[in-house]
Amino acid sequence: MKRNLSSSDCVPSPKRPSLLPLPTGKHEVFLSFRGPDVRRTFADCLYKFLDHSKIRTFLDDEELRKGEKIAPSLVEAIHESKVYIPILSQDYASSKWCLEELSLMVKSLNQNQGHILLPIFYFVEPRDVRRQEGSYSEAFRRHSQEYDAETITEWKEALQVVGEMKGWHVTESDGQGDVIEKVFSEVWSHLMANYAIVTDELIGIDSHVKEVLDLLDLDSKGLKVVGIHGIGGIGKTTLSKAVYNEVSSWFDRCCFLEDVRETLLKADGVVTLQNKVISNILRHDNHVKDVSEGIHLIKDKVCKYKVLIVLDDVDRRFEFDKVFGKLQDFSIESRFILTTRDKRVLEFFEECRLFEAKEMSDIDSCQLLRKHAFQMDDPQEGSDTLCEEFVKLAAGLPLALKVIGSLLFRKDIRIWEEKLEELKESPFTGVHEILKISYNDLTPTEKEIFLDIACFFIGETKECPFYMWNECKFYPESGISNLILKSLIKINKRSEFWMHDHIRDLGRAIVYEENIRQPWKRSRIWSNEDALDMLENGKGSAAVQVLRINMEDRGNLELTEKDFNKLSGIRFLDVWGGGLTGDFSKMLPNIQWLQLGSCHSIPTDINLKKLVILSLEHSNVWDYWRGWKRIKVVINKYSLLFYIKYKFLVYR
């Protein structure tokens, strides 16, 4: 692409992203142009390129304006957008709307709120824009006859500022497709530099980030894999997020894959990981349906980019080749970061560079504890000695420090002393014992919700569990709020439950200890092996409240009402594959959520008296199924959330 030597025509380096946080809002890019000049050509192509790549773009067209004043919705779109792209064509200045928009953009820049302006000089010289010469001079001659001097001066000053900025100068000799791709890359560079993955435990982490950056060796050619290993709760995820935030602008495309270990436990786990990478790197929703298709698409499309991919919490079930294909197919400038509790996982990679995450220092531990206990770094009077004691018990684990701090938040010093004694009297001072203090502080109903999430609902949206918990009188609104305050769970932007591995393991250990030798006497059975053993051998008890069974690999296995004869306490039953036959009208008297997925047979007589959620996803249910008659009766009498074929019908 031909360029002049003027600094106004240079493309800014993507390696120097804005250090200010970009504003958040409905739109990311505001595209300003004069309709007759570029609407059906350059502007349309640029908009479609940005929109296809999932960049939320406000497409403005001054020809569509009505009235004398710029609309409030347009002003809002300018203020909330992160990146401004004015396409300065030859007749851009002839439009008062374009000049008003440009003036608002420049004002936003001057307020130093993190906006970025990337001008495109489309068949116009930057100096003509800067000095209002050529067609711009003629435009202002006409404007001066209609508008006051103050307005004219404001517009001219805006053009002068923009004319002096770095941007793209498009001439007849340029390939406009190439220009659009360069504009897109610059926009994406700025957005990526400011879309930091949220993490709040950054105390004492700078030196660790620097060490990992040295291992990544970004200035060198050659594919690099860095493995961060260490025990659970030590801060591996936090460190990987901090590194990701630091270097994402160096790459064409980036992807952060959370909870890889948990994802691979699911039947479609590999495809799920592939689709996340494909969606993030290619920025479209062309999802694959099987592993081989995913590997092929990744090799064909993803590997051509310079990518950064973080795989958080991998274990020995993860095999790179079976998820992403051959490592050597990726660009030699790409980088991979893996976090794991098991160092052996990293032996798969011939030249993996290792970083061991270690415990926090006492000084940093105190600071992190205070941050969560006081919501500030300065300690409460009289708490110094107690902080030191809690730090010793936490043993440098950030997770334990965060949970202890949240437990002590806004508590009197006397409560601190009691909690300290409680911890000291525990038989062990491991993380579970520390975390269990928070669990012991929960109400009985909060404990039920906590255990349900730990055993079954991590990664699930909160809507359906809330219906069940409401029916159980567990008061989920206040219960979930308290669990979040105690740092035991989080709810992500997709309204899904998230729980740290240590906390999840604690919850499952609590259920396991209900009856170590007889799983069928525990309140929750999430192990498929334990569930099938119980049902196939006529075991079970009224203690079981929540049960999940997967019979997909058991062929045509069918369960009858006799298999559930002893399970009168079940409130949640999830059966996937196989079938259920027989008369269930008097079985499962306390069932509130029944989920039957891909079942080849379903009983027509289901006990629906207390049911609030019924899911028959992919099951063999037809219009002539006799069960519909009883369901209609229940719909008329009770409140039922009925879910089938991915659609919700809510009955009140």
Side-chain angles (χ1 to χ4, degrees), residues 387-399:
C387 278
E388 292 174 4
E389 293 295 322
F390 282 118
V391 164
K392 290 178 183 177
L393 293 174
L397 291 180
L399 173 65

Side-chain angles (χ1 to χ4, degrees), residues 434-616:
I434 293 172
L435 297 176
K436 198 167 184 179
I437 300 299
S438 291
Y439 173 82
N440 291 338
D441 261 9
L442 300 175
T443 66
T445 56
E446 288 168 354
K447 289 178 179 178
E448 295 290 342
I449 293 173
F450 171 79
L451 295 177
D452 279 356
I453 296 173
C455 297
F456 292 94
F457 298 133
I458 297 173
E460 299 289 337
T461 55
K462 65 180 184 180
E463 183 181 12
C464 284
F466 263 59
Y467 277 98
M468 178 179 66
W469 293 329
N470 267 321
E471 193 69 14
C472 294
K473 304 298 183 185
F474 287 172
Y475 310 108
E477 290 289 349
S478 59
I480 291 298
S481 176
N482 201 31
L483 291 175
I484 293 173
L485 286 173
K486 290 184 178 296
S487 302
L488 291 173
I489 67 166
K490 289 183 180 179
I491 295 178
N492 63 23
K493 293 179 180 179
R494 298 182 296 275
S495 293
E496 297 169 344
F497 291 116
W498 181 90
M499 185 179 284
H500 192 281
D501 292 351
H502 262 308
I503 300 175
R504 179 204 62 207
D505 293 345
L506 166 68
R508 295 183 179 182
I510 290 170
V511 175
Y512 178 80
E513 290 168 2
E514 291 172 356
N515 198 307
I516 296 174
R517 297 186 178 277
Q518 297 174 312
W520 61 90
K521 292 185 178 180
R522 300 172 192 157
S523 61
R524 295 157 180 83
I525 300 177
W526 64 91
S527 164
N528 203 48
E529 183 179 351
D530 289 341
L532 290 171
D533 176 71
M534 175 183 70
L535 294 171
E536 291 176 340
N537 292 289
K539 302 172 184 176
S541 72
V544 179
Q545 299 178 38
V546 189
L547 175 64
R548 176 170 287 158
I549 319 159
N550 189 328
M551 300 189 292
E552 280 193 300
D553 60 350
R554 296 299 183 98
N556 295 319
L557 178 65
E558 289 188 340
L559 300 173
T560 69
E561 73 274 20
K562 294 180 181 179
D563 297 315
F564 293 87
N565 190 44
K566 299 178 181 179
L567 301 172
S568 60
I570 287 183
R571 54 182 167 83
F572 171 87
L573 175 62
D574 180 8
V575 180
W576 192 266
L580 273 69
T581 60
D583 184 0
F584 279 71
S585 60
K586 296 182 180 179
M587 293 293 104
L588 308 175
N590 292 297
I591 191 73
Q592 293 165 336
W593 182 351
L594 180 59
Q595 195 158 284
L596 305 176
S598 292
C599 293
H600 58 74
S601 62
I602 293 176
T604 56
D605 295 313
I606 301 174
N607 193 333
L608 303 175
K609 191 172 183 179
K610 294 186 177 181
L611 202 68
V612 290
I613 305 171
L614 174 62
S615 169
L616 305 176

Side-chain angles (χ1 to χ4, degrees), residues 271-336:
V271 172
T272 298
L273 290 177
Q274 291 176 333
N275 281 325
K276 285 182 179 178
V277 168
I278 290 167
S279 177
N280 278 270
I281 302 301
L282 302 184
R283 304 186 195 119
H284 61 63
D285 294 320
N286 185 21
H287 285 184
V288 299
K289 297 178 180 178
D290 58 63
V291 175
S292 59
E293 181 186 358
I295 290 176
H296 176 76
L297 184 58
I298 288 171
K299 179 179 180 180
D300 189 44
K301 301 289 187 180
V302 174
C303 289
K304 70 178 183 179
Y305 290 103
K306 175 184 177 182
V307 300
L308 169 66
I309 297 178
V310 178
L311 298 125
D312 183 46
D313 192 21
V314 301
D315 64 4
R316 301 198 76 177
R317 279 184 291 270
F318 174 75
E319 297 181 57
F320 191 97
D321 288 2
K322 293 182 179 179
V323 179
F324 302 123
K326 295 180 179 179
L327 180 63
Q328 56 265 35
D329 288 337
F330 285 83
S331 162
I332 60 172
E333 293 181 298
S334 293
R335 298 291 187 270
F336 292 86

Side-chain angles (χ1 to χ4, degrees), residues 627-640:
W628 291 128
K629 184 176 181 180
R630 295 197 68 246
I631 288 175
K632 290 178 181 177
V633 172
V634 174
I635 288 172
N636 292 329
K637 191 173 182 181
Y638 302 97
S639 170
L640 174 66

